[in-house]
Amino acid sequence: MTGTAHVRSITLVRHGRTSYNAQHRLQGQIDIPLDAIGSWQVLRTAEALRELYVDRHPDIPNRIVVSSDLGRAMATAHAFADPLGLDVHPDERVRERSFGDWEGISVEELAERYPQDWRLWSEFKGGELKYGAEPKEAVGARGAAALDDWAHRAGADTDLYVFSHGAWIAQTLQTLLGLGGAGADFAGVMGMRNAHWARLIPFEQADGTLRWRLLDYNHGPAIADTDQWEHPAL
């Protein structure tokens, strides 16, 4: 879109840990809740987000909070939004990539049961597609469309926060930043850690075309750089 109002920034946040994350299982669109550590993680992330981008920016009065409709993302979004009295807007376009018949299976089991296709998947060559996985291009397209939609619902006095999933964030960023064309395998962006975030700021080109620039990636609370992030009791 060109010449229209848009938000000041976009923050993309991955949900906290689930039991499937801990067991190295593909979640996809299975609605797995946060585990106890994940619930703790999202509280720390919510505190950091509010301290960094809300408390320090009293000049920005408005915020929009959007979330995947899957429970783990919604819970992460509410940890941030509820203390601020903000609504959380669910959006199916922000859902995780579907992995078809591979959902719920551990990476170790995939390697054992489907060695050739698992190897192709791990090398970003599409071995998962024959099992009904959603193509990466489709994930990126729906993600970029969702961000374009929400980003143009408000102006520069508003920050947009989108709570989603690791594969969705990676594929959406590659599409939004034009990285997909650099390599057909869509392997240019590393996955996001649990309860970490990325930030985008607008870049208006001379012809009025709006693009987004990646300001920050895989940012988390300070405690996430310690062993406590996966073991809070330490």
Side-chain angles (χ1 to χ4, degrees), residues 6-228:
H6 54 76
V7 297
R8 186 185 75 109
S9 71
I10 301 174
T11 302
L12 307 177
V13 189
R14 187 188 179 193
H15 62 79
R17 200 184 85 167
T18 72
S19 62
Y20 272 29
N21 290 143
Q23 297 164 14
H24 305 292
R25 295 181 180 273
L26 288 186
Q27 293 177 108
Q29 296 186 1
I30 298 177
D31 203 358
I32 302 298
L34 300 176
D35 64 13
I37 289 176
S39 297
W40 175 85
Q41 288 175 341
V42 302
L43 292 177
R44 306 290 79 76
T45 291
E47 291 168 353
L49 289 171
R50 290 193 298 269
E51 194 267 328
L52 289 171
Y53 308 125
V54 178
D55 297 345
R56 296 187 187 183
H57 291 278
D59 54 316
I60 305 301
N62 301 313
R63 288 152 196 94
I64 298 174
V65 180
V66 177
S67 176
S68 158
D69 60 340
L70 298 178
R72 58 190 183 271
M74 289 290 287
T76 306
H78 278 288
F80 169 74
D82 288 358
L84 298 172
L86 299 173
D87 293 331
V88 175
H89 304 280
D91 188 335
E92 289 186 2
R93 296 173 296 178
V94 180
R95 273 191 178 197
E96 178 62 296
R97 181 189 185 195
S98 169
F99 282 92
D101 295 337
W102 277 13
E103 292 190 356
I105 303 176
S106 70
V107 172
E108 293 80 5
E109 186 177 349
L110 289 174
E112 180 179 343
R113 290 171 57 183
Y114 313 101
Q116 182 176 358
D117 294 324
W118 175 84
R119 179 180 59 79
L120 291 173
W121 170 58
S122 65
E123 294 176 353
F124 306 100
K125 296 179 179 178
E128 71 279 19
L129 295 177
K130 69 169 65 174
Y131 302 95
E134 183 180 9
K136 292 181 177 180
E137 295 86 349
V139 179
R142 65 176 166 87
L147 292 187
D148 184 70
D149 177 11
W150 286 102
H152 288 89
R153 296 194 187 192
D157 63 348
T158 302
D159 286 329
L160 172 63
Y161 294 83
V162 179
F163 291 79
S164 187
H165 310 264
W168 182 92
I169 293 173
Q171 300 310 142
T172 296
L173 284 177
Q174 291 188 113
T175 298
L176 200 67
L177 302 176
L179 300 179
D185 55 12
F186 275 74
V189 176
M190 293 287 292
M192 187 84 68
R193 294 180 65 192
N194 284 122
H196 281 54
W197 63 85
R199 281 176 66 80
L200 296 157
I201 56 173
F203 172 56
E204 296 184 6
Q205 301 181 106
D207 63 359
T209 302
L210 175 65
R211 297 186 63 184
W212 291 93
R213 305 173 79 177
L214 187 62
L215 179 66
D216 209 353
Y217 187 74
N218 243 339
H219 191 168
I223 197 172
D225 291 329
T226 73
D227 290 339
Q228 285 185 280

